[in-house]
Amino acid sequence: MDRYAVLGNPIGHSLSPEIHRRFAEQTGQTLQYVALEVPLDGFPEFVADLRAEGFRGMNVTVPFKQEAFALSESLSDRARAAGAVNTLIRTDTGWRGENTDGAGLVRDLTRNLGLALRQHRLLLLGAGGAARGVVQPLLAEQPALLHIANRTTEKARQLVASFPGEKRLAHSGLDGPFHAPYDLIINATAASLEGVAPAIPDGLLAKGGAIYDMMYSDRPTAFIEWGRGQGAAIAADGLGMLVEQAAESFHLWRGVRPDTRAVLTAMRPGGQPSS
Ligand code: ATR
């Protein structure tokens, strides 16, 4: 049976095995997908062992996406732009590195949540690996503005500077200066892991605007609560992004595209879509 895995540390909470099990069932594919915790100092050796065991592909999560990038023999354009790899595809001679995170985010925003990005004003919070991975896919949707705000202003400046000549990008610290109002505010910081929302001022969200937390939790994150308090018309967490990036990986490995909507509905507590 073809074998796949998600690699991370920690990995205990991963929903990926359940998502891929549902995809396989739905599309009639026979495969096995497991979550494996990798020692922090042993990623390349671990991947080499899985290769020897015949694994066909891997998803890679925190904190190994840069290491997966480094060991990839070839890279897709979007993996190169992200500087990170979340999907490894076995080839005859090594691994091809892909990044499906940005596509997953954009599909969830536009297809599942019905948000328009073209000519809209976006605020992206964070300038770490998670933020970097979604900048180019968001720009490809032709927003009027993509403002990147980060706690450490210099990292936001560097991220914007890595897209030379891109006039739709702006940057600042979390205290501004901003160019409000924003139609959509996306949280790509690790603040939700600490149970807090990034410390941005009130009043940045446009009337009828949306907020999106790239993190998923079975309870509303602090950022979701913040967004509701700001009157967001839509406040969604990252479950849809997780399912959509998984579907992109599944498609790369298996050549079939699962119906994400059915899986998302089945996995959402109470069967509710994002709200
Ligand atoms: P990831 O791969 O999840 O993006 P990372 O590269 O370590 O992880 O980046 C973490 C991001 O979350 C950074 O943008 C970080 O801000 P700094 O660059 O100033 O460190 C941000 N972050 C972490 N904790 C935060 C908090 N409590 N409030 C706001 N931003 C936070």
Side-chain angles (χ1 to χ4, degrees), residues 54-132:
F55 275 72
R56 311 279 324 153
M58 260 84 85
N59 279 136
V60 181
T61 185
V62 178
F64 299 117
K65 292 183 187 181
Q66 279 80 15
E67 282 193 76
F69 180 91
L71 66 70
S72 295
E73 192 183 58
S74 66
L75 291 163
S76 68
D77 287 347
R78 53 192 186 176
R80 203 171 283 115
V85 158
N86 82 328
T87 306
L88 290 168
I89 304 149
R90 188 188 184 103
T91 66
D92 289 345
T93 49
W95 298 102
R96 177 162 175 80
E98 256 283 6
N99 195 311
T100 65
D101 285 331
L105 172 67
V106 167
R107 276 180 82 92
D108 194 37
L109 292 172
T110 59
R111 187 172 168 276
N112 299 336
L113 299 170
L115 296 173
L117 302 181
R118 192 181 166 82
Q119 290 307 318
H120 283 61
R121 303 166 63 80
L122 316 183
L123 173 59
L124 179 65
L125 306 175
R132 175 174 297 275

Side-chain angles (χ1 to χ4, degrees), residues 128-148:
R132 175 174 297 275
V134 300
V135 171
Q136 197 196 45
L138 286 172
L139 285 173
E141 296 300 305
Q142 309 292 342
L145 169 69
L146 176 57
H147 183 130
I148 301 173

Side-chain angles (χ1 to χ4, degrees), residues 6 13-26 33-35 216 239 242-243 246 263-268:
V6 55
H13 62 280
S14 178
L15 295 177
S16 294
E18 182 183 347
I19 294 171
H20 283 278
R21 183 183 55 72
R22 289 178 183 274
F23 287 168
E25 203 175 81
Q26 186 196 74
Y33 186 108
V34 291
Y216 166 68
L239 181 61
L242 184 68
V243 171
V263 171
L264 197 45
T265 306
M267 293 191 65
R268 179 75 65 192

Side-chain angles (χ1 to χ4, degrees), residues 250-274:
F250 192 91
H251 180 242
L252 289 166
W253 292 326
R254 311 295 301 181
V256 260
R257 200 171 276 286
D259 172 10
T260 51
R261 188 80 63 128
V263 171
L264 197 45
T265 306
M267 293 191 65
R268 179 75 65 192
Q272 296 298 312
S274 303

Side-chain angles (χ1 to χ4, degrees), residues 228-253:
R228 288 178 179 157
Q230 299 294 306
I234 292 177
D237 67 27
L239 181 61
M241 175 178 176
L242 184 68
V243 171
E244 294 294 347
Q245 64 79 29
E248 289 278 326
S249 298
F250 192 91
H251 180 242
L252 289 166
W253 292 326

